[in-house]
Amino acid sequence: MFQAVIDPVAGNLALSALVACIPLIVFFVCLVAIKLKAHVSAIIALTVSIIIAIVGFKMPAGFTFLSATQGAAYGIFPVCLIIVAAVWFYEITVVSGRSEDLRRLFDRLGGGDLRIQAVLIAFCFGALLEALAGFGAPIAITATMILALGIPPVKSAMAVLIANTAPVAFGALAIPITTAGNMAPGVDGALATAEHVAAISGCIAPIFSTIVPCLIIFILDRGRGLKDCWVPALITGLSFGITQWFASNFLAYEMTDVIAALVSFGVTVLFLRFWKLRGVKEARARFNAPEIDLEKKEKLPASRSWMALMPYAVVVVIFYVGKRILPLTLTDIKIPWPGLTEIGADGAATSLILNYAGADPGTTFTFNWLSNCGTLMIIAGLLVAFIYSICNYNGQFKITVWQAIKEFGKTCVKMRLTILTITCVLALAYVMNFSGQTISIGQLLAQTGAAFAFISPVLGWVGTAVTGSDTSANALFSSLQVEAAKANPALAGVDPELFLASNTMGGVMGKMVSPQSLAIAAAAVEETESKLFRSTLRWSLILLAALCVIIFLYAGPLGFIVP
């Protein structure tokens, strides 16, 4: 049996924490300074963490390697399955040709106002893509769509990068939050509840979701844009934020962004039927965009508009039924991880690894083969492909279920390096957690007192800014956040899971300046990453500072807001 200690290196906590930081430092240096590929950086960091676990933290080699295998298994299933399934679902709409109809629908509903169209595309449609695909897909797709409207490249890229902040916490079917809930111990030592983390995040994210559409308008057209469009932009943000709060607290949290995006889109479109857009021609002139006559443009038939939106309605129904009506979790299989647990004569599993408090750090693997989001997304995708194969609009939109299945294989191949990266990052996180490396760092940070509540989001910001993934940032820092909060006397009485939401939301603000996001946006609009970085960094830091203040208040005088 192995029990982690917080000061294994020379009996000194500070030195032990410093040694424990080496795998993270190596990971970030490889990514940023040496500019290695993400999967190569993750493999190197994983190797370093294994060496430190064995040599520095005195963890038996067998337990160390087995810890890595459990982390890798969780990275593959369900994390990578969810991500691949979400991207594949969107690819079905692309292969069928229906995604182009959706783009035309957004174009027409904007009433010819480039600024409103940009908000609908970057914010509403971008949030929908982030909810289903994530990992750069929303940035690449919406940037090209906005650029096609006639908006300058840098402004197009900035609009989608900032719009992408609102939905990231619940992106890719809320996999960042699910990861946080499965990586960190809760108040009683058991794993944190992802639903609770989602509820807390749902009381933070809407604050930013409400203002992001107005921020997009300001970036595109400065004060004149705000003067003309602040009302519909605020309506878009408010409807998204309120729905985001409601869905994350009372519905299936995995579907938060899907529901919020659809509601926000619907409310905005309905509002524009009664609101007279201002300064449309003048704005188009400032952007050197040609005047358009909406009455002369080809109208999209109602049936095709509905079929373009149908997949997302199917997703909502499938997830609501699977998460709230059918008891699918009863099919989950609990697997005590071989070699890390011991099965007694009575069949009960005893962990052979203990954390510094003498508790099981989480050596049981949950095989939720039916209830996980990836399986539900695959079911929804197959149903959509079947409907599209029947309703093909006289052969204009051709796709078969078999084509959709083959597309799944292509998606797996296309995302193979992403799968490898996430698998290695999760393996790294498990080795650090089980060996005690994360706990040592957390115990040292706990000595910052009440200031920890203010600096907590910075960890998530750094993690996502470097890795490009809020999921990876949560895998790296979730346990650290909770351990630091639990060991901090100044935060006694504060729910440690607030800091899981803090890490998640900090990652949201770091997404817009991550190398991956910048590279995708730069490629989409044919600009340089450095120019986009300079343009977006200040907004990222401003939003991060606001988040730090909010978390500090939630950990203090506004604690009653936290669910």
Side-chain angles (χ1 to χ4, degrees), residues 13 356 439-452 455 480-491:
L13 175 60
Y356 80 106
I439 296 173
S440 292
I441 301 171
Q443 290 289 322
L444 184 64
L445 285 175
Q447 298 181 6
T448 58
F452 177 74
I455 65 175
L480 187 155
Q481 293 271 13
V482 171
E483 293 296 345
K486 289 168 66 177
N488 196 325
L491 298 176

Side-chain angles (χ1 to χ4, degrees), residues 74 89 158 170 188 212 221-222 269-270 302 307 320 328 409 487 508 524 551:
Y74 175 67
F89 184 87
M158 287 181 64
F170 295 93
D188 58 357
V212 162
D221 203 22
R222 298 295 173 177
V269 170
L270 182 62
M307 290 303 290
Y320 183 78
L328 298 182
V508 167
I551 297 300

Side-chain angles (χ1 to χ4, degrees), residues 110-122:
D113 192 318
L114 295 178
R115 301 159 299 183
I116 297 299
Q117 289 176 11
V119 169
L120 288 172
I121 293 170

Side-chain angles (χ1 to χ4, degrees), residues 154-497:
V154 173
K155 289 188 175 183
S156 296
M158 287 181 64
V160 300
L161 287 169
I162 290 175
N164 195 233
T165 60
V168 164
F170 295 93
L173 305 180
I175 195 61
I177 288 174
T178 300
T179 300
N182 282 276
M183 291 301 301
V187 179
D188 58 357
L191 287 177
T193 305
E195 286 84 357
H196 189 208
V197 179
I200 298 174
S201 300
C203 293
I204 303 171
I207 298 173
F208 297 96
S209 299
T210 299
I211 65 173
V212 162
C214 290
L215 189 55
I216 294 172
I217 294 293
F218 179 77
I219 287 171
L220 294 178
D221 203 22
R222 298 295 173 177
R224 289 169 295 188
L226 277 181
K227 182 180 178 181
D228 292 339
C229 305
W230 73 270
V231 175
L234 185 61
I235 292 295
T236 303
L238 273 174
S239 58
F240 189 97
I242 292 172
T243 308
Q244 200 175 39
W245 165 78
F246 182 80
S248 61
N249 279 265
F250 304 107
L251 300 177
Y253 76 90
E254 297 90 345
M255 295 303 298
T256 294
D257 278 347
V258 174
I259 298 171
L262 293 175
V263 169
S264 179
F265 173 70
V267 168
T268 304
V269 170
L270 182 62
F271 178 78
L272 290 176
R273 292 177 65 91
F274 303 96
W275 178 265
K276 181 177 176 57
L277 293 170
R278 304 167 183 171
V280 176
K281 291 184 178 180
E282 294 80 0
R284 296 188 70 87
R286 285 194 294 274
F287 287 114
N288 294 318
E291 292 189 17
I292 60 171
D293 187 344
L294 291 176
E295 296 303 321
K296 293 183 179 180
K297 288 192 70 175
E298 179 189 359
K299 291 186 177 180
L300 195 64
S303 60
R304 284 175 56 178
S305 298
W306 158 244
M307 290 303 290
L309 294 170
M310 178 272 297
Y312 309 105
V314 169
V315 168
V316 172
V317 173
I318 292 293
F319 270 76
Y320 183 78
V321 171
K323 290 291 181 179
R324 295 298 175 184
I325 297 179
L326 298 179
L328 298 182
T329 54
L330 295 179
T331 64
D332 292 356
I333 302 172
K334 301 290 184 179
I335 305 174
W337 200 252
L340 297 183
T341 55
E342 186 176 68
I343 308 299
D346 59 353
T350 302
S351 175
L352 298 178
I353 297 178
L354 302 175
N355 61 21
Y356 80 106
D360 179 0
T363 55
T364 298
F365 180 80
T366 301
F367 183 60
N368 50 349
W369 64 278
L370 184 57
S371 65
N372 82 84
C373 295
T375 303
L376 294 178
M377 181 58 76
I378 290 172
I379 293 172
L382 292 174
L383 180 58
V384 168
F386 176 72
I387 295 173
Y388 275 168
S389 68
I390 296 174
C391 306
N392 57 22
Y393 213 76
N394 297 323
Q396 186 173 349
F397 302 99
K398 292 183 178 180
I399 188 173
T400 65
V401 174
W402 178 239
Q403 279 181 294
I405 294 173
K406 289 195 294 184
E407 194 63 35
F408 187 87
K410 293 179 182 177
T411 303
C412 290
V413 173
K414 182 173 62 177
M415 299 187 66
R416 60 190 182 279
L417 295 182
T418 299
I419 293 170
L420 178 59
T421 301
I422 292 173
T423 300
C424 290
V425 167
L426 266 297
L428 163 68
Y430 267 69
V431 169
M432 292 187 66
N433 290 344
F434 285 7
S435 66
Q437 296 174 55
T438 300
I439 296 173
S440 292
I441 301 171
Q443 290 289 322
L444 184 64
L445 285 175
Q447 298 181 6
T448 58
F452 177 74
F454 187 83
I455 65 175
S456 169
V458 178
L459 289 173
W461 185 91
V462 170
T464 303
V466 173
T467 67
S469 167
D470 203 12
T471 301
S472 296
N474 277 352
L476 291 172
F477 295 132
S478 289
S479 290
L480 187 155
Q481 293 271 13
V482 171
E483 293 296 345
K486 289 168 66 177
N488 196 325
L491 298 176
V494 178
D495 188 345
E497 293 178 15

Side-chain angles (χ1 to χ4, degrees), residues 208 454 457-458 461 509 538-552:
F208 297 96
F454 187 83
V458 178
W461 185 91
M509 308 312 168
R538 61 173 176 172
W539 293 110
S540 179
L541 294 177
I542 289 171
L543 293 173
L544 175 63
L547 175 63
C548 289
V549 172
I550 291 171
I551 297 300
F552 184 78

